[in-house]
């Protein structure tokens, strides 16, 4: 049988059912999903709440526990990053804020309701059948939260609840995805209330978080969910939430189909139930009918349920060994069987946010190596969810992909952005993303590989029956089908050969494809005509008449099919039912179907009154004992006029039935015999004449019948011969039709590809338009001249500021820069550009134009999005004012130095540390020292310490602090090589060239001779 599953596939389905919907103690299915410990006495565990936290998470967890009731029936497991070298005090701390028992987990701990479990330091933790298991932390390194959440999702199904509190990095994001995948509930702390918001922000960025709340609000929401009773097994089963004949589920499917166009009734029922139940838990709705009504009243919830039903959990290089098998087994066969100009065509179905498509593209590029640039590659990635397609096109992913992508691949195929990582343009250009329903929409064709991983497990038998022929048709003769680890071709093994059992890789069998497209031209034309009829109103009338006829059939059958007609409100007959000749006959003259132009004599008056009453009161009306004249005889008739239904249009319809009255039985009694005798005598003569007439009619009828039979036999022989010819022609037409159908399918597939490519091109054109506008405005707003050159020194573009500086015009784009008479020396510019292109090292130099204006020229390599060097970017900064200022400063400095060197008095310039910064020539001559013995030495260390005078030190420091000055400070000392000298010192503060540095100018005047002359004059006074 075509729909019969293989034993292996049944085994997989059974495992899936056991994982998703375990059996309760009553032997019935627990639709809430999750493990139930049959042997545990007392209160049952309704759900498991895993709370992940890192830095700052303790305070958030304490706030949550304080607000949380102690009788929720849930178990709470805290997974926090703890120092493995120190004993944790969390148990003692948390015990003070909650009435629930708090304990540190030991290996093989059985979870119980209303208890708090804490991971011990240095351990990683998982859960199996409600039992907590400990393993060494090194086995999972630092991703403790992800590790536990993933195991919790597998073990508890939709009864798993994940909470992410304060912390750094991305731990927990992957685990929340797994919980969302199995129908669990996810929370994240509001980032504004977290001490460290990295973990909540990364969790929210995944798009799988149901509630973003404060710690206290998370506790209240958990309590509401627990009180809703939706996790109670007995209540769920006994209430027959998902009973086999529940009409509410079909109502939900109808609402979804109207909103999205997707028929979820063909999806795997267990998955659908789990997702619907999850939404009911979120809204605390206990009955399926109430949720169906809630959907009708809330379009936003319809959209949320639609997103939940479309499983969108994926990651890069899922099952890495399978991708290595592609490189070692599949890709070599594909490259061997293709011609050089033929592209490698891949279709990734259910691509979600694009990780699977990009992973295949990366692996294919790695396999091709240097041949990748010469091999055309087309990767079509499709999904039914338009929101996910937009994310896939952007190609931006959070930082936690580092767990799945190696550092080498991150460096080669990704670019760091603020949000995390973005796929490089090289890989992005290989992939075309578009919305497509893989079962309903036309498929791609001539494919080398189809990746349909972890999507088939959610499809029901009806969808699988449609899908596998589509996949078989889409592959080329030697194409491959790549499925997930839990999937197989099952009953459709006649279409595919098993290539790799472990990684579920199949090849196409060379058999006729059973694919029969449902998107045929006839359906298209029918839909078009239907739309036209609806637009013109004709479709409504035709549909209405059809319903009227069906209703009339039902009524007539209920009344033993008497003769009658159906009329409209204009009394026109629209259908004859039964033998109406005794009551109606065509009128002479122009043909008419009006009832009262065809009715026989005797019926008009009573029939008209009955119809009028039925029209006014809209009720069935019966008139008895009417007389109708037929062939000179009068018969009694009962007439029924019945309104048909409640038509939605304005026009009304009526069923008119004619019932012949059967003559009553003869009376009994004394006069019965005489009455009978009289009647017999009266009718005997009429009966004889009628009998003779009937015998003649019977003989004529026999002759006519014989003639008709002979003609019929002759006609049958002719029809038999014509039928044989038609059969022969039909064979030819079928053959031609198959060829046309094949050609049409190829055209439809090509059209689908063109539509997909057109969609992609439109998106890229919009992006390029935005980038072009940004670049144009940036160029126009920059006042610095910028010129971009290609590797052969041809001008790519330049901004308005460069036109005057370079002496350029618009038509110079594309010309070599060396052919243009710019305002700069072309030889120097060309040499500098060539050096940058050869060395890839940016260069900066100062250049002067022909007018003597100075510019700072920066030449940098021009890098493409693929990180290739394709020319240079030259920018010119106007430094003419700076150069002139430097020249003036240099001139002033030279002028000052010339004055200082001309002065005959010794001069010293001291810095803030009273070290000699400079001195003049007169100082070196006066004290017979060299610059090496003077500069950078403390003034108090000169010579034999002759300047180390405490009072002089105080005066100099006072100058620095208070901006004072002093004059004629006397210093008398025996200087080496000079002997006794008497000096007068003058000092004041000056400012350095940077207008900030504090300096002291100290002038020294030798007054020894004047002092000696005065002494001599005092000893030998001159006579007057």
């Amino acid at each position: 049988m075509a729909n019969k599953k293989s034993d292996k596939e049944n085994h997989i389905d059974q495992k899936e059912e056991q994982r998703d919907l375990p059996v309760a103690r009553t032997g019935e299915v627990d639709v809430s999903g999750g493990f139930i410990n049959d042997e545990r006495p007392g209160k049952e565990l309704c759900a498991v709440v895993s709370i992940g936290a890192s830095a700052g998470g303790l305070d958030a967890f304490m706030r949550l526990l304080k607000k949380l009731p102690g009788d929720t029936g849930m178990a709470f497991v805290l997974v926090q990053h703890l120092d493995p070298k120190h004993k944790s005090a969390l148990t003692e701390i948390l015990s003070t804020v909650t009435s629930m028992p708090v304990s540190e987990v030991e290996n093989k701990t059985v979870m119980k309701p209303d208890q708090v479990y804490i991971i011990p330091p240095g351990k990683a933790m998982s859960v199996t059948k409600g039992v907590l298991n400990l393993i060494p932390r090194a086995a999972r390194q630092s991703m403790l939260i992800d590790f536990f959440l993933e195991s919790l999702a597998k073990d508890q199904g939709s009864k798993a609840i994940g909470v992410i509190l304060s912390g750094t990095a991305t731990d927990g994001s992957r685990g929340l995805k797994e919980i969302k995948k199995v129908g669990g509930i996810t929370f994240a702390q509001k980032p504004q209330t977290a001490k460290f918001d990295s973990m909540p922000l990364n969790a929210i960025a995944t798009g799988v978080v149901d509630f973003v709340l404060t710690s206290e609000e998370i506790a209240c929401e958990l309590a509401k969910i627990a009180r809703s009773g939706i996790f109670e097994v007995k209540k769920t089963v006994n209430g027959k939430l998902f009973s086999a004949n529940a009409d509410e589920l079909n109502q939900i499917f109808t609402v979804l189909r109207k909103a999205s166009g997707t028929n979820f009734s063909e999806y795997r029922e267990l998955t659908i139930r789990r997702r619907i139940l999850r939404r009911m838990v979120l809204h605390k709705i206990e009955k399926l009918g109430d949720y169906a009504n809630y959907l009708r009243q809330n379009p936003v919830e319809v959209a949320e349920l639609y997103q939940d039903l479309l499983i969108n959990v994926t990651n890069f290089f899922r099952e890495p060994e399978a991708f290595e098998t592609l490189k070692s087994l599949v890709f070599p066969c594909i490259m061997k069987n293709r011609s050089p100009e033929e592209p490698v065509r891949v279709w990734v179905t259910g691509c979600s946010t694009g990780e699977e498509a990009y992973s295949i593209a990366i692996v294919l590029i790695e396999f091709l190596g240097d041949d990748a640039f010469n091999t055309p590659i087309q990767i079509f990635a499709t999904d039914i969810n338009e929101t996910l397609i937009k994310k896939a096109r952007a190609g931006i992913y959070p930082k936690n992909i580092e767990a799945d992508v190696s550092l080498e691949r991150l460096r080669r195929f990704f670019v760091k952005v603020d949000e995390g990582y973005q796929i490089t343009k090289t890989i992005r250009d290989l992939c075309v993303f578009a919305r497509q329903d893989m079962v309903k929409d036309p498929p791609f064709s001539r494919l080398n590989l189809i990746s349909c991983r972890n999507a088939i497990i959610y499809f029901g038998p009806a969808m699988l029956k449609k899908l596998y022929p589509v996949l078989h048709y889409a592959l080329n003769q030697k194409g491959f089908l790549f499925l997930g680890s839990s999937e197989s071709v099952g009953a459709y093994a006649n279409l595919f050969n098993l290539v790799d059992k472990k990684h579920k890789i199949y090849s196409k069998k060379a058999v006729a494809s059973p694919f029969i497209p449902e998107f045929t031209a006839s359906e298209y034309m029918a839909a078009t005509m239907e739309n036209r009829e609806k637009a013109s109103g004709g479709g409504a009338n035709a549909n209405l008449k059809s319903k009227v006829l069906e209703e009339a059939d039902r009524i007539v059958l209920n009344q033993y099919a008497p003769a009658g007609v159906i009329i409209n409100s204009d009394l026109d007959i629209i259908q004859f039912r039964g033998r109406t000749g005794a009551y109606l006959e065509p009128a002479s003259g122009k043909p008419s179907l009006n009832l009262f132009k065809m009715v026989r004599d005797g019926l008009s008056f009573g029939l008209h009154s009955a119809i009028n009453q039925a029209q006014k009161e809209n009720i069935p009306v019966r008139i008895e004992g009417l007389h109708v004249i037929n062939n000179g005889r009068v018969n009694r008739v009962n007439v029924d006029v019945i309104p048909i239904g409640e038509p939605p249009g304005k026009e009304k319809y009526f069923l008119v039935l004619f019932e012949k009255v059967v003559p009553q039985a003869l009376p009994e009694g004394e006069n019965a015999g005489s009455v009978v005798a009289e009647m017999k005598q009266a009718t005997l003569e009429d009966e004889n004449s009628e009998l003779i007439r009937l015998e003649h009619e019977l003989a004529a009828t026999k002759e006519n019948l014989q003639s008709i039979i002979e003609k019929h036999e002759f006609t049958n022989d002719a029809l038999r011969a014509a039928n044989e010819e038609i059969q022969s022609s039909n064979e030819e037409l079928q053959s031609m039709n198959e060829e046309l159908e094949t050609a049409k399918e190829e055209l439809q597939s090509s059209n689908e590809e063109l539509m997909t490519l057109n969609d992609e091109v439109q998106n890229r054109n919009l992006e390029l338009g935005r980038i072009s506008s940004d670049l144009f405005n940036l160029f126009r707003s920059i006042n610095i001249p910028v010129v971009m050159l290609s590797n052969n020194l041809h001008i790519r573009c330049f901004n308005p500021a460069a036109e005057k500086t370079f002496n350029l015009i618009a038509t110079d784009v594309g010309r070599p820069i060396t052919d243009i008479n710019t305002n700069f020396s072309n030889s120097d510019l060309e040499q500098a550009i060539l050096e940058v292109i050869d060395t890839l090292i940016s260069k900066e130099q100062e250049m002067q134009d022909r007018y003597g204006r100075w510019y700072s020229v920066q030449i940098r390599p021009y890098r493409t999005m693929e990180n290739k060097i394709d020319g240079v970017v030259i920018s010119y900064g106007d430094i003419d004012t700076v150069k002139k200022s430097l020249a003036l400063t240099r001139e002033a400095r030279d002028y000052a130095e010339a004055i200082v060197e001309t002065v005959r008095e010794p001069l010293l310039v001291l810095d803030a540390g009273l070290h000699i910064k400079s001195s003049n020539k007169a100082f070196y001559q006066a004290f017979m020292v060299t610059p090496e013995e003077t500069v950078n030495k403390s003034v108090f260390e000169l010579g034999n310490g002759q300047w180390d005078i405490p009072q002089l030190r105080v005066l100099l420091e006072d100058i620095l602090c208070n901006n004072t000055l002093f004059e004629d400070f006397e210093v008398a000392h025996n200087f080496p090589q000079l002997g006794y000298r008497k000096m007068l010192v003058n000092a004041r503060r000056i400012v350095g060239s940077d207008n900030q540095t504090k300096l002291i100018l100290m002038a020294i005047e030798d007054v020894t001779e004047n002092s000696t002359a005065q002494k001599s004059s005092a000893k030998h006074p001159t006579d007057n």
Side-chain angles (χ1 to χ4, degrees), residues 26 28-29 31 232-241 243:
T26 59
E28 298 183 78
V29 176
V31 295
E232 295 181 17
V233 178
K234 293 180 179 179
K235 184 174 182 179
T236 304
V237 174
N238 295 337
K240 295 184 179 180
L241 184 60
S243 59

Side-chain angles (χ1 to χ4, degrees), residues 268-535:
R268 189 166 176 267
E269 189 173 342
L270 293 178
T271 302
I272 298 299
R273 290 180 177 182
R274 186 171 58 200
R275 297 284 161 170
I276 293 175
L277 180 64
R278 179 181 178 278
R279 298 303 306 178
M280 293 172 64
V281 171
L282 293 179
H283 295 288
K284 276 74 74 177
I285 298 175
E286 300 183 21
K287 295 182 179 180
L288 194 61
D290 294 341
Y291 184 66
N293 293 330
Y294 183 77
L295 284 176
R296 295 190 191 95
Q297 300 168 6
N298 295 273
V300 175
E301 176 61 19
V302 177
E304 292 291 337
L305 177 61
Y306 176 70
Q307 293 295 330
D308 262 15
L309 292 175
L310 298 177
I311 314 299
N312 58 0
V313 179
T314 183
N315 53 274
F316 282 99
F317 302 102
R318 185 170 42 187
E319 301 170 14
E321 294 181 359
F323 284 92
E324 293 301 320
T325 305
L326 289 182
K327 293 171 70 172
S328 62
L329 180 63
V330 175
F331 291 156
C333 293
I334 292 176
M335 300 305 296
K336 179 181 178 181
N337 297 324
R338 61 176 284 274
S339 58
E341 67 280 358
E342 183 183 356
V344 177
R345 294 166 59 85
V346 180
W347 182 18
V348 181
T349 64
C351 67
S352 187
T353 48
E355 287 92 331
E356 181 80 8
Y358 289 134
S359 298
I360 291 179
I362 289 172
V363 172
L364 182 55
I365 291 295
E366 290 175 341
F367 168 77
L368 294 174
D370 296 336
D371 294 334
F373 296 101
N374 302 321
T375 304
I377 300 173
Q378 296 175 340
I379 299 179
F380 303 99
T382 62
D383 196 279
I384 199 172
N385 193 331
E386 183 68 32
T387 303
L388 301 181
I389 287 294
K390 291 180 181 179
K391 292 182 180 180
R393 285 175 179 153
I396 299 176
Y397 301 96
K399 294 181 180 179
N400 61 5
I401 67 170
E402 295 171 352
D404 303 312
V405 185
S406 65
L407 291 177
E408 180 182 355
R409 283 172 172 165
L410 284 174
R411 285 193 296 266
R412 182 178 176 186
F413 301 109
F414 292 84
V415 178
K416 273 194 172 183
V417 293
D418 293 339
E419 298 88 342
Y421 292 94
Q422 184 174 24
I423 203 77
T424 60
K425 190 174 184 294
T426 304
I427 300 298
R428 175 66 187 85
D429 290 343
L430 300 179
C431 303
V432 177
F433 294 94
R435 184 191 183 280
Q436 185 197 46
D437 189 326
M438 70 179 83
V439 176
K440 292 172 57 179
D441 296 332
F444 299 96
S445 61
R446 296 175 285 107
L447 298 167
N448 301 103
L449 173 66
I450 296 178
S451 174
C452 190
R453 306 179 70 208
N454 297 328
I456 296 177
I457 57 175
Y458 303 111
F459 293 169
M463 290 189 70
L464 294 178
K465 186 177 181 180
K466 299 176 184 177
L467 177 63
Y468 280 112
V470 170
L471 300 179
H472 183 269
Y473 162 81
L475 288 171
N476 62 20
Q477 289 302 319
K478 297 182 179 180
F480 291 88
L481 176 62
F482 188 23
L483 300 181
S485 58
S486 300
E487 299 166 334
S488 68
V489 297
Y492 303 92
N494 60 317
L495 301 179
F496 301 95
N497 290 314
L498 181 62
V499 176
D500 187 284
K501 181 178 180 181
K502 181 178 180 182
H503 300 113
K504 302 301 175 66
I505 298 176
Y506 300 84
S507 64
K508 178 179 179 179
K509 278 187 178 181
V511 297
S513 176
F515 172 52
I516 300 176
E518 297 181 359
F519 36 89
T520 60
S522 60
E523 289 184 358
Y524 173 78
M525 290 301 297
T528 304
M529 293 300 294
E530 181 180 354
N531 292 335
R532 291 178 180 175
E533 289 179 356
K534 287 181 179 179

Side-chain angles (χ1 to χ4, degrees), residues 733-975:
L733 290 174
Q734 284 182 346
S735 177
M736 294 175 62
N737 185 58
E738 290 176 0
E739 296 177 4
L740 291 173
E741 192 71 24
T742 302
K744 184 201 67 173
E745 292 167 5
E746 293 178 359
L747 286 175
Q748 287 173 331
S749 296
S750 300
N751 184 56
E752 181 73 16
E753 293 178 18
L754 289 174
M755 291 173 62
T756 302
L757 289 173
N758 183 57
D759 189 23
E760 186 75 11
V761 168
Q762 287 179 350
N763 281 281
R764 294 187 183 182
N765 284 341
L766 291 174
E767 185 178 352
L768 288 174
R770 287 193 296 268
I771 294 174
S772 178
S773 299
D774 294 343
L775 183 61
F776 175 78
N777 284 280
L778 178 64
F779 256 36
R780 298 287 297 180
S781 61
I782 291 178
N783 294 324
I784 300 174
V786 178
V787 179
M788 296 183 182
L789 306 179
S790 60
N791 279 330
N792 55 4
L793 305 189
H794 286 217
I795 297 176
R796 288 179 180 272
C797 60
F798 54 86
N799 66 343
E803 294 180 5
K804 183 178 179 180
T805 304
F806 274 89
N807 195 23
L808 298 173
I809 59 177
T811 56
D812 289 333
V813 174
R815 294 179 58 192
I817 190 69
T818 54
D819 292 353
I820 298 174
N821 186 19
T822 65
N823 293 331
F824 297 90
S825 173
N826 284 346
S827 59
D828 296 342
L829 180 63
E830 181 180 2
Q831 182 63 30
I833 293 172
L834 293 175
E835 288 181 8
V836 172
I837 292 176
D838 292 339
T839 62
L840 305 182
I841 299 175
S842 300
K843 190 171 184 179
E844 184 175 359
Q845 64 185 37
E846 296 179 355
M847 296 182 68
Q848 195 174 20
D849 64 7
R850 65 177 64 181
Y851 304 109
R853 196 169 187 85
W854 285 94
Y855 291 87
S856 174
V857 184
Q858 295 181 343
I859 307 175
R860 295 185 176 88
Y862 180 100
R863 295 181 183 272
T864 65
M865 293 294 293
E866 292 80 17
N867 203 25
K868 294 180 181 179
I869 305 302
D870 192 21
V872 295
V873 180
I874 309 173
S875 60
Y876 282 72
D878 189 344
I879 60 171
D880 190 64
T881 303
V882 177
K883 291 287 286 186
K884 289 180 179 178
S885 299
L886 290 175
L888 292 174
T889 302
R890 191 179 300 109
E891 183 180 348
R893 185 188 65 191
D894 294 343
Y895 179 75
E897 288 179 353
I899 293 175
V900 171
E901 291 296 329
T902 304
V903 173
R904 294 184 177 182
E905 290 184 356
L907 297 176
L908 293 175
V909 177
L910 308 181
D911 60 16
L914 301 181
H915 288 76
I916 299 171
K917 187 173 181 65
S918 64
S919 58
N920 65 349
K921 186 177 180 181
F923 179 84
Y924 298 136
Q925 292 176 350
F927 293 97
M928 297 181 182
V929 292
T930 63
E932 290 77 12
E933 298 172 335
T934 305
V935 178
N936 296 326
K937 297 290 184 64
S938 174
V939 68
F940 306 117
E941 296 176 356
L942 292 178
N944 56 1
Q946 61 267 24
W947 305 103
D948 190 6
I949 302 170
Q951 188 177 357
L952 178 62
R953 184 187 294 269
V954 172
L955 291 173
L956 292 175
E957 291 177 351
D958 189 49
I959 289 175
L960 291 173
C961 296
N962 302 318
N963 194 18
T964 60
L965 59 86
F966 66 85
E967 296 178 350
D968 298 336
F969 179 78
E970 185 176 313
V971 178
H973 191 75
N974 284 318
F975 292 91

Side-chain angles (χ1 to χ4, degrees), residues 978-995:
L978 297 180
Y980 177 80
R981 287 287 186 272
K982 184 176 181 181
M983 306 287 183
L984 293 179
V985 179
N986 300 322
R988 67 174 57 244
R989 196 173 81 176
I990 60 175
V991 181
S993 58
D994 58 358
N995 294 326

Side-chain angles (χ1 to χ4, degrees), residues 236-256:
T236 304
V237 174
N238 295 337
K240 295 184 179 180
L241 184 60
F242 291 102
S243 59
N245 58 351
D247 186 56
E248 292 86 352
L249 193 59
N250 292 328
Q251 295 176 15
I252 293 175
F253 290 151
T254 301
V255 173
L256 288 169

Side-chain angles (χ1 to χ4, degrees), residues 52-88:
S54 182
L58 177 58
D59 178 67
F61 191 55
M62 291 176 66
R63 291 175 180 271
L64 189 153
L65 281 184
K66 284 181 180 179
K67 199 73 174 178
L68 194 67
D71 58 350
T72 60
M74 300 176 175
F76 299 88
V77 183
L78 174 60
V79 182
Q80 189 169 13
H81 294 172
L82 303 173
D83 187 350
K85 298 180 181 179
H86 295 83
K87 184 179 179 181
S88 172

